[in-house]
PDB file of all heavy atoms in Angstrom:
ATOM      1  N   PRO A 121     -34.438 -26.436   4.623  1.00 54.00           N
ATOM      2  CA  PRO A 121     -33.018 -26.018   4.849  1.00 54.00           C
ATOM      3  C   PRO A 121     -32.202 -27.109   5.497  1.00 54.00           C
ATOM      4  O   PRO A 121     -32.679 -27.915   6.229  1.00 54.00           O
ATOM      5  CB  PRO A 121     -33.200 -24.798   5.782  1.00 54.00           C
ATOM      6  CG  PRO A 121     -34.596 -24.952   6.349  1.00 54.00           C
ATOM      7  CD  PRO A 121     -35.385 -25.745   5.427  1.00 54.00           C
ATOM      8  N   LYS A 122     -30.855 -27.033   5.165  1.00 57.00           N
ATOM      9  CA  LYS A 122     -29.927 -27.970   5.773  1.00 57.00           C
ATOM     10  C   LYS A 122     -29.845 -27.688   7.263  1.00 57.00           C
ATOM     11  O   LYS A 122     -30.192 -26.591   7.740  1.00 57.00           O
ATOM     12  CB  LYS A 122     -28.561 -27.825   5.124  1.00 57.00           C
ATOM     13  CG  LYS A 122     -28.510 -28.380   3.746  1.00 57.00           C
ATOM     14  CD  LYS A 122     -27.055 -28.290   3.220  1.00 57.00           C
ATOM     15  CE  LYS A 122     -27.014 -28.931   1.874  1.00 57.00           C
ATOM     16  NZ  LYS A 122     -25.651 -28.885   1.325  1.00 57.00           N
ATOM     17  N   GLU A 123     -29.355 -28.637   8.005  1.00 57.00           N
ATOM     18  CA  GLU A 123     -29.155 -28.505   9.420  1.00 57.00           C
ATOM     19  C   GLU A 123     -28.239 -27.346   9.713  1.00 57.00           C
ATOM     20  O   GLU A 123     -27.235 -27.201   9.045  1.00 57.00           O
ATOM     21  CB  GLU A 123     -28.619 -29.795  10.073  1.00 57.00           C
ATOM     22  CG  GLU A 123     -28.401 -29.720  11.527  1.00 57.00           C
ATOM     23  CD  GLU A 123     -27.743 -30.994  12.040  1.00 57.00           C
ATOM     24  OE1 GLU A 123     -27.884 -32.016  11.335  1.00 57.00           O
ATOM     25  OE2 GLU A 123     -27.193 -30.938  13.121  1.00 57.00           O
ATOM     26  N   GLU A 124     -28.586 -26.516  10.676  1.00 60.00           N
ATOM     27  CA  GLU A 124     -27.684 -25.436  11.042  1.00 60.00           C
ATOM     28  C   GLU A 124     -26.387 -25.965  11.622  1.00 60.00           C
ATOM     29  O   GLU A 124     -26.348 -26.863  12.452  1.00 60.00           O
ATOM     30  CB  GLU A 124     -28.321 -24.586  12.130  1.00 60.00           C
ATOM     31  CG  GLU A 124     -29.433 -23.684  11.681  1.00 60.00           C
ATOM     32  CD  GLU A 124     -29.999 -22.843  12.824  1.00 60.00           C
ATOM     33  OE1 GLU A 124     -29.200 -22.418  13.639  1.00 60.00           O
ATOM     34  OE2 GLU A 124     -31.210 -22.713  12.821  1.00 60.00           O
ATOM     35  N   VAL A 125     -25.280 -25.413  11.080  1.00 68.00           N
ATOM     36  CA  VAL A 125     -24.001 -25.730  11.678  1.00 68.00           C
ATOM     37  C   VAL A 125     -23.652 -24.922  12.906  1.00 68.00           C
ATOM     38  O   VAL A 125     -23.179 -25.393  13.882  1.00 68.00           O
ATOM     39  CB  VAL A 125     -22.847 -25.579  10.568  1.00 68.00           C
ATOM     40  CG1 VAL A 125     -21.473 -25.891  11.141  1.00 68.00           C
ATOM     41  CG2 VAL A 125     -23.171 -26.446   9.365  1.00 68.00           C
ATOM     42  N   VAL A 126     -23.961 -23.609  12.755  1.00 73.00           N
ATOM     43  CA  VAL A 126     -23.846 -22.736  13.896  1.00 73.00           C
ATOM     44  C   VAL A 126     -25.229 -22.499  14.500  1.00 73.00           C
ATOM     45  O   VAL A 126     -26.147 -22.016  13.836  1.00 73.00           O
ATOM     46  CB  VAL A 126     -23.218 -21.365  13.470  1.00 73.00           C
ATOM     47  CG1 VAL A 126     -23.111 -20.444  14.688  1.00 73.00           C
ATOM     48  CG2 VAL A 126     -21.870 -21.577  12.842  1.00 73.00           C
ATOM     49  N   LYS A 127     -25.373 -22.919  15.719  1.00 81.00           N
ATOM     50  CA  LYS A 127     -26.694 -22.810  16.379  1.00 81.00           C
ATOM     51  C   LYS A 127     -27.131 -21.388  16.652  1.00 81.00           C
ATOM     52  O   LYS A 127     -26.319 -20.536  16.887  1.00 81.00           O
ATOM     53  CB  LYS A 127     -26.683 -23.642  17.694  1.00 81.00           C
ATOM     54  CG  LYS A 127     -26.368 -25.098  17.461  1.00 81.00           C
ATOM     55  CD  LYS A 127     -27.425 -25.810  16.673  1.00 81.00           C
ATOM     56  CE  LYS A 127     -27.131 -27.304  16.510  1.00 81.00           C
ATOM     57  NZ  LYS A 127     -27.886 -27.919  15.414  1.00 81.00           N
ATOM     58  N   HIS A 128     -28.418 -21.225  16.717  1.00 84.00           N
ATOM     59  CA  HIS A 128     -28.984 -19.914  17.040  1.00 84.00           C
ATOM     60  C   HIS A 128     -28.442 -19.398  18.322  1.00 84.00           C
ATOM     61  O   HIS A 128     -28.385 -20.092  19.331  1.00 84.00           O
ATOM     62  CB  HIS A 128     -30.516 -20.065  17.150  1.00 84.00           C
ATOM     63  CG  HIS A 128     -31.215 -18.765  17.452  1.00 84.00           C
ATOM     64  ND1 HIS A 128     -31.420 -17.811  16.488  1.00 84.00           N
ATOM     65  CD2 HIS A 128     -31.711 -18.280  18.637  1.00 84.00           C
ATOM     66  CE1 HIS A 128     -32.051 -16.797  17.034  1.00 84.00           C
ATOM     67  NE2 HIS A 128     -32.220 -17.053  18.346  1.00 84.00           N
ATOM     68  N   GLY A 129     -27.905 -18.184  18.309  1.00 84.00           N
ATOM     69  CA  GLY A 129     -27.372 -17.511  19.481  1.00 84.00           C
ATOM     70  C   GLY A 129     -25.913 -17.837  19.737  1.00 84.00           C
ATOM     71  O   GLY A 129     -25.303 -17.212  20.650  1.00 84.00           O
ATOM     72  N   ASP A 130     -25.320 -18.739  18.953  1.00 83.00           N
ATOM     73  CA  ASP A 130     -23.911 -19.081  19.155  1.00 83.00           C
ATOM     74  C   ASP A 130     -23.058 -17.988  18.477  1.00 83.00           C
ATOM     75  O   ASP A 130     -23.022 -17.849  17.284  1.00 83.00           O
ATOM     76  CB  ASP A 130     -23.603 -20.414  18.544  1.00 83.00           C
ATOM     77  CG  ASP A 130     -22.156 -20.868  18.660  1.00 83.00           C
ATOM     78  OD1 ASP A 130     -21.330 -20.062  19.207  1.00 83.00           O
ATOM     79  OD2 ASP A 130     -21.804 -21.966  18.222  1.00 83.00           O
ATOM     80  N   VAL A 131     -22.329 -17.226  19.317  1.00 78.00           N
ATOM     81  CA  VAL A 131     -21.527 -16.181  18.741  1.00 78.00           C
ATOM     82  C   VAL A 131     -20.022 -16.564  18.768  1.00 78.00           C
ATOM     83  O   VAL A 131     -19.156 -15.722  18.527  1.00 78.00           O
ATOM     84  CB  VAL A 131     -21.707 -14.824  19.488  1.00 78.00           C
ATOM     85  CG1 VAL A 131     -23.096 -14.305  19.264  1.00 78.00           C
ATOM     86  CG2 VAL A 131     -21.398 -14.957  20.947  1.00 78.00           C
ATOM     87  N   SER A 132     -19.760 -17.777  19.047  1.00 80.00           N
ATOM     88  CA  SER A 132     -18.329 -18.246  19.131  1.00 80.00           C
ATOM     89  C   SER A 132     -17.846 -18.666  17.777  1.00 80.00           C
ATOM     90  O   SER A 132     -16.633 -18.838  17.551  1.00 80.00           O
ATOM     91  CB  SER A 132     -18.229 -19.377  20.140  1.00 80.00           C
ATOM     92  OG  SER A 132     -18.844 -20.554  19.626  1.00 80.00           O
ATOM     93  N   ARG A 133     -18.751 -18.819  16.776  1.00 83.00           N
ATOM     94  CA  ARG A 133     -18.358 -19.200  15.443  1.00 83.00           C
ATOM     95  C   ARG A 133     -19.039 -18.323  14.434  1.00 83.00           C
ATOM     96  O   ARG A 133     -20.026 -17.682  14.735  1.00 83.00           O
ATOM     97  CB  ARG A 133     -18.728 -20.658  15.225  1.00 83.00           C
ATOM     98  CG  ARG A 133     -17.843 -21.565  16.088  1.00 83.00           C
ATOM     99  CD  ARG A 133     -18.312 -22.986  16.307  1.00 83.00           C
ATOM    100  NE  ARG A 133     -18.724 -23.631  15.043  1.00 83.00           N
ATOM    101  CZ  ARG A 133     -19.499 -24.736  15.061  1.00 83.00           C
ATOM    102  NH1 ARG A 133     -19.947 -25.193  16.162  1.00 83.00           N
ATOM    103  NH2 ARG A 133     -19.852 -25.259  13.944  1.00 83.00           N
ATOM    104  N   ARG A 134     -18.442 -18.268  13.238  1.00 86.00           N
ATOM    105  CA  ARG A 134     -18.968 -17.402  12.197  1.00 86.00           C
ATOM    106  C   ARG A 134     -19.764 -18.198  11.135  1.00 86.00           C
ATOM    107  O   ARG A 134     -19.196 -19.108  10.506  1.00 86.00           O
ATOM    108  CB  ARG A 134     -17.848 -16.652  11.541  1.00 86.00           C
ATOM    109  CG  ARG A 134     -17.084 -15.717  12.543  1.00 86.00           C
ATOM    110  CD  ARG A 134     -15.760 -15.281  11.904  1.00 86.00           C
ATOM    111  NE  ARG A 134     -14.964 -14.596  12.880  1.00 86.00           N
ATOM    112  CZ  ARG A 134     -14.965 -13.276  13.040  1.00 86.00           C
ATOM    113  NH1 ARG A 134     -15.700 -12.515  12.263  1.00 86.00           N
ATOM    114  NH2 ARG A 134     -14.207 -12.767  13.990  1.00 86.00           N
ATOM    115  N   VAL A 135     -20.972 -17.816  10.927  1.00 87.00           N
ATOM    116  CA  VAL A 135     -21.842 -18.567   9.973  1.00 87.00           C
ATOM    117  C   VAL A 135     -21.210 -18.487   8.550  1.00 87.00           C
ATOM    118  O   VAL A 135     -21.141 -19.510   7.833  1.00 87.00           O
ATOM    119  CB  VAL A 135     -23.261 -17.971   9.927  1.00 87.00           C
ATOM    120  CG1 VAL A 135     -24.081 -18.567   8.804  1.00 87.00           C
ATOM    121  CG2 VAL A 135     -23.918 -18.210  11.321  1.00 87.00           C
ATOM    122  N   GLY A 136     -20.728 -17.317   8.147  1.00 87.00           N
ATOM    123  CA  GLY A 136     -20.141 -17.174   6.817  1.00 87.00           C
ATOM    124  C   GLY A 136     -18.942 -18.134   6.594  1.00 87.00           C
ATOM    125  O   GLY A 136     -18.803 -18.686   5.542  1.00 87.00           O
ATOM    126  N   VAL A 137     -18.152 -18.285   7.688  1.00 91.00           N
ATOM    127  CA  VAL A 137     -16.970 -19.195   7.537  1.00 91.00           C
ATOM    128  C   VAL A 137     -17.492 -20.611   7.423  1.00 91.00           C
ATOM    129  O   VAL A 137     -16.943 -21.379   6.654  1.00 91.00           O
ATOM    130  CB  VAL A 137     -16.044 -19.015   8.755  1.00 91.00           C
ATOM    131  CG1 VAL A 137     -15.010 -20.062   8.805  1.00 91.00           C
ATOM    132  CG2 VAL A 137     -15.461 -17.613   8.755  1.00 91.00           C
ATOM    133  N   GLU A 138     -18.452 -20.975   8.232  1.00 90.00           N
ATOM    134  CA  GLU A 138     -19.005 -22.355   8.199  1.00 90.00           C
ATOM    135  C   GLU A 138     -19.603 -22.669   6.814  1.00 90.00           C
ATOM    136  O   GLU A 138     -19.411 -23.772   6.270  1.00 90.00           O
ATOM    137  CB  GLU A 138     -20.069 -22.555   9.290  1.00 90.00           C
ATOM    138  CG  GLU A 138     -19.517 -22.373  10.684  1.00 90.00           C
ATOM    139  CD  GLU A 138     -18.506 -23.402  11.058  1.00 90.00           C
ATOM    140  OE1 GLU A 138     -18.515 -24.551  10.592  1.00 90.00           O
ATOM    141  OE2 GLU A 138     -17.612 -23.063  11.867  1.00 90.00           O
ATOM    142  N   VAL A 139     -20.280 -21.680   6.249  1.00 90.00           N
ATOM    143  CA  VAL A 139     -20.935 -21.906   4.949  1.00 90.00           C
ATOM    144  C   VAL A 139     -19.904 -22.157   3.896  1.00 90.00           C
ATOM    145  O   VAL A 139     -20.018 -23.104   3.056  1.00 90.00           O
ATOM    146  CB  VAL A 139     -21.869 -20.735   4.625  1.00 90.00           C
ATOM    147  CG1 VAL A 139     -22.311 -20.773   3.149  1.00 90.00           C
ATOM    148  CG2 VAL A 139     -23.057 -20.683   5.587  1.00 90.00           C
ATOM    149  N   ILE A 140     -18.899 -21.284   3.805  1.00 93.00           N
ATOM    150  CA  ILE A 140     -17.931 -21.475   2.700  1.00 93.00           C
ATOM    151  C   ILE A 140     -17.045 -22.697   2.971  1.00 93.00           C
ATOM    152  O   ILE A 140     -16.589 -23.389   1.973  1.00 93.00           O
ATOM    153  CB  ILE A 140     -17.078 -20.243   2.423  1.00 93.00           C
ATOM    154  CG1 ILE A 140     -16.229 -19.806   3.605  1.00 93.00           C
ATOM    155  CG2 ILE A 140     -17.989 -19.103   1.954  1.00 93.00           C
ATOM    156  CD1 ILE A 140     -15.198 -18.712   3.255  1.00 93.00           C
ATOM    157  N   ARG A 141     -16.778 -23.031   4.226  1.00 93.00           N
ATOM    158  CA  ARG A 141     -16.015 -24.259   4.541  1.00 93.00           C
ATOM    159  C   ARG A 141     -16.816 -25.482   4.081  1.00 93.00           C
ATOM    160  O   ARG A 141     -16.263 -26.385   3.499  1.00 93.00           O
ATOM    161  CB  ARG A 141     -15.753 -24.289   6.021  1.00 93.00           C
ATOM    162  CG  ARG A 141     -14.756 -25.399   6.387  1.00 93.00           C
ATOM    163  CD  ARG A 141     -14.280 -25.312   7.851  1.00 93.00           C
ATOM    164  NE  ARG A 141     -13.174 -24.288   7.926  1.00 93.00           N
ATOM    165  CZ  ARG A 141     -13.042 -23.420   8.931  1.00 93.00           C
ATOM    166  NH1 ARG A 141     -13.844 -23.435   9.929  1.00 93.00           N
ATOM    167  NH2 ARG A 141     -12.006 -22.606   8.936  1.00 93.00           N
ATOM    168  N   ALA A 142     -18.143 -25.434   4.301  1.00 93.00           N
ATOM    169  CA  ALA A 142     -18.964 -26.572   3.884  1.00 93.00           C
ATOM    170  C   ALA A 142     -19.011 -26.724   2.369  1.00 93.00           C
ATOM    171  O   ALA A 142     -19.236 -27.822   1.864  1.00 93.00           O
ATOM    172  CB  ALA A 142     -20.427 -26.347   4.415  1.00 93.00           C
TER     173      ALA A 142
END
Side-chain angles (χ1 to χ4, degrees):
K122 289 185 177 179
E123 180 182 340
E124 286 182 38
V125 178
V126 179
K127 299 295 181 199
H128 180 77
D130 180 357
V131 293
S132 68
R133 292 162 47 198
R134 297 167 188 265
V135 173
V137 171
E138 298 296 331
V139 167
I140 63 170
R141 190 170 278 143

